[in-house]
Amino acid sequence: MRGLAYAKINLSLEITGKRADGYHELVSVMQTISLADSLSLERAGQLRLECDDPTIQGSDNLVLRAAQLLSTPGHFILRKRIPVAGGLGGGSSDGALALRLINLVYELGLSEQQLASAAAQLGSDVPFFVHGGTALVEGRGEQITRLPDLPSEWLVLVNPGLPLSTAAVYHELEPHEWTDGWATRRWAEQSAGDDSMPPNRNGLAAAACRLEPHITQCLGSLAAAGANPVLVSGSGPTCFGLVASEADAQRIARRTGGKTARFVSRAEALQIEL
Ligand code: C5P
């Protein structure tokens, strides 16, 4: 079986505090987008991962960790298109798709809720990808409230080309950059489904820019080319800008050296091919 592991963007991200276990509490609206890795799984006697990016073939790859968590073997083939350590959730999306493929190929009969609980053991962003589409994400990342699909929007992604460690960005974050999460929660409660967009916030953006100053240039070039709003995704360094149409996306991508993408609905995000 084969599926696409879609990337995500954070349309809104607020960090509301730090927990005793060292993780941060967040309130975010996440959205799956059309940039995707592809992952296939075939039954096999042993666990094996074939990947076109040799730098991420090791035992900490979330595909292998997903198989170990569910105690199954299998032959996985992973084709990477989402930049590694880019703020787009690529590794987390691969891990969530691995859990869903294992569940189907080995007929484990796990519910979506059971898959999401397993996903939380793999990483903070993984539970969102078990659901896909548009969702309010809270806690450490494990509390997911599905929201109605947003209308399909086009965007342009610009990546400064260097990986940025999520842990390093959280470490750089100062308590005065925390916010109360109210704007994001209020949008989710009152406005989701009415075609309005979430508030344009990213509480990690300033910390990410301090570690990777090229982010500021990427945001500037997207804005100068006509994207609006422009934001950092997650802990960065990938930046994105929303645009009015596919033609605008192509024009702005050419001008900024970026890539075009569009929002992907929950139903599309969860498709699996035999
Ligand atoms: O959960 P995950 O392994 O993806 O997180 C990577 C790192 O990012 C954690 O070790 C932690 O330093 C930081 N993090 C955090 N609060 C979150 C999510 C991640 O502090 N909610």
Side-chain angles (χ1 to χ4, degrees), residues 22-24 26 123-124 139-140 166-167 170:
Y23 281 91
H24 290 77
L26 55 85
S124 304
R140 192 193 119 199
T166 301
Y170 273 105

Side-chain angles (χ1 to χ4, degrees), residues 59-136:
S59 58
D60 55 352
N61 188 297
L62 290 180
V63 171
L64 291 175
R65 287 189 41 213
Q68 280 153 359
L69 186 66
L70 299 183
S71 305
T72 51
H75 178 198
F76 289 94
I77 301 176
L78 175 61
R79 303 269 176 252
K80 286 300 289 182
R81 296 292 173 270
I82 307 172
V84 174
L88 297 172
S92 301
S93 187
D94 299 342
L97 179 56
L99 291 172
R100 293 172 49 235
L101 287 172
I102 295 164
N103 192 34
L104 293 171
V105 169
Y106 288 97
E107 298 171 10
L108 303 184
L110 299 174
S111 67
E112 199 165 75
Q113 209 42 54
Q114 287 170 314
L115 286 173
S117 302
Q121 296 179 53
L122 296 180
S124 304
D125 277 352
V126 188
F128 163 73
F129 289 104
V130 170
H131 299 279
T134 311
L136 178 71

Side-chain angles (χ1 to χ4, degrees), residues 104-256:
L104 293 171
V105 169
Y106 288 97
E107 298 171 10
L108 303 184
L110 299 174
S111 67
E112 199 165 75
Q113 209 42 54
Q114 287 170 314
L115 286 173
S117 302
Q121 296 179 53
L122 296 180
S124 304
D125 277 352
V126 188
F128 163 73
F129 289 104
V130 170
H131 299 279
T134 311
L136 178 71
V137 179
E138 295 172 280
R140 192 193 119 199
E142 79 289 6
Q143 294 167 28
I144 313 292
T145 308
R146 282 190 218 151
L147 299 173
D149 284 320
L150 282 165
S152 193
E153 295 268 348
W154 284 92
L155 62 142
V156 176
L157 297 160
V158 177
N159 187 293
L162 296 164
L164 191 53
S165 142
T166 301
V169 174
Y170 273 105
H171 188 71
E172 174 67 24
L173 185 71
E174 301 277 349
H176 69 80
E177 292 168 307
W178 300 347
T179 49
D180 61 11
W182 185 77
T184 303
R185 270 200 200 98
R186 189 185 55 164
W187 177 84
E189 281 165 16
Q190 297 180 4
S191 307
D194 72 3
D195 288 4
S196 68
M197 293 297 275
N200 316 317
R201 297 186 168 205
N202 184 338
L204 291 176
C209 287
R210 290 196 290 279
L211 295 179
E212 178 43 88
H214 286 116
I215 291 175
T216 313
Q217 290 163 22
C218 291
L219 290 171
S221 68
L222 275 169
N228 182 33
V230 297
L231 281 168
V232 177
S233 183
S235 57
T238 307
C239 302
F240 68 91
L242 298 186
V243 299
S245 64
E246 182 175 5
D248 275 5
Q250 283 165 352
R251 179 180 58 76
I252 293 173
R254 270 197 304 275
R255 210 172 129 184
T256 57

